Amino acid sequence: MPGRTKSDADKLETEFKRRDLRNRMIRERLAEGRPVRYVSTGNSMSPLVQGNDACTFLPTQAVTAEHGMHAVQKKASEISVGDIVFCQVQPGERYFAHIVLEVVQPNYYKEAKYYQIGNITGHRNGWCFREQIYGILVDVQVLWDGQYYSRPLPKGIFAQVRELVQKRRWDRAADKLCEPWRGGRNFGSRGDSSRCNSSR
């Protein structure tokens, strides 16, 4: 790119290496049957999940570990449209924590059901099989005055939010649907919701 220096390229390469290491650690932890909580970056899923939101993922596999202190037996998580999952997307085996946009039944190209993964605007990153989905988002929290408050679970409002942002990417009504509640009212009722929402 014009104007990009070697130093910029080195910084970008370092950032990609760090992200890859983080993603591998997340996958390993989920594969052991342990929950993962980390701070989100970017706005590809906003307003469902916004930059600096604390996201908690639980493992999706039916048997999370065979032995040891993290051995857990649980039913396989049901995964459907609107779920946000941590997965390895094909082609390229790239890691994403993005939205299930479509569940596709088997056809002559693929032997098993697979999942189309993408962002809130409908852009598709690729697809993955069930075994390439390692975690499912169960909580999204905003830090407010030193305390975390949960947003509505994305899956429950995904259809409404998606319709609104497809008409206008930064839609105030969509943003309002995703505001956390505090003491029986949402943050917007304080008249200062900009502190917990991403910049427009």
Side-chain angles (χ1 to χ4, degrees), residues 82-115:
D83 280 321
I84 294 176
V85 296
F86 181 84
C87 59
Q88 205 165 7
V89 169
Q90 310 303 320
E93 299 195 350
R94 299 162 295 149
Y95 290 101
F96 283 94
H98 266 184
I99 306 165
V100 175
L101 298 178
E102 183 181 2
V103 180
V104 183
Q105 296 300 323
N107 58 27
Y108 61 91
Y109 288 117
K110 298 176 178 67
E111 296 177 2
K113 180 167 62 176
Y114 61 100
Y115 303 81

Side-chain angles (χ1 to χ4, degrees), residues 26-159:
I26 291 171
R27 175 185 171 177
E28 182 178 320
R29 187 177 177 93
L30 289 168
E32 291 173 351
R34 297 189 285 170
V36 171
R37 188 170 192 254
Y38 67 90
V39 175
S40 177
T41 58
N43 288 308
S44 62
M45 294 185 290
S46 185
L48 294 171
V49 178
Q50 301 178 21
N52 296 319
D53 283 355
C55 299
T56 301
F57 287 80
L58 292 184
T60 56
Q61 64 270 41
V63 180
T64 58
E66 292 183 12
H67 306 290
M69 64 182 291
H70 300 299
V72 175
Q73 303 290 323
K74 63 185 279 291
K75 292 181 179 179
S77 301
E78 291 295 324
I79 298 170
S80 56
V81 171
D83 280 321
I84 294 176
V85 296
F86 181 84
C87 59
Q88 205 165 7
V89 169
Q90 310 303 320
E93 299 195 350
R94 299 162 295 149
Y95 290 101
F96 283 94
H98 266 184
I99 306 165
V100 175
L101 298 178
E102 183 181 2
V103 180
V104 183
Q105 296 300 323
N107 58 27
Y108 61 91
Y109 288 117
K110 298 176 178 67
E111 296 177 2
K113 180 167 62 176
Y114 61 100
Y115 303 81
Q116 292 282 356
I117 307 297
N119 66 19
I120 190 66
T121 63
H123 170 77
R124 298 193 179 207
N125 307 116
W127 57 272
C128 59
F129 290 123
R130 175 66 179 73
E131 59 269 20
Q132 293 159 330
I133 297 177
Y134 308 110
I136 186 166
L137 184 70
V138 295
D139 195 23
V140 184
Q141 295 187 329
V142 176
L143 183 61
W144 178 269
D145 290 340
Q147 172 128 10
Y148 281 101
Y149 297 92
S150 293
R151 294 188 186 280
L153 195 59
K155 184 176 181 177
I157 55 175
F158 170 70

Side-chain angles (χ1 to χ4, degrees), residues 11 42 50 65 106 162 172 182 192:
K11 287 179 183 176
Q50 301 178 21
R162 185 180 184 187
R172 180 63 190 133
R182 177 183 177 205
D192 187 21

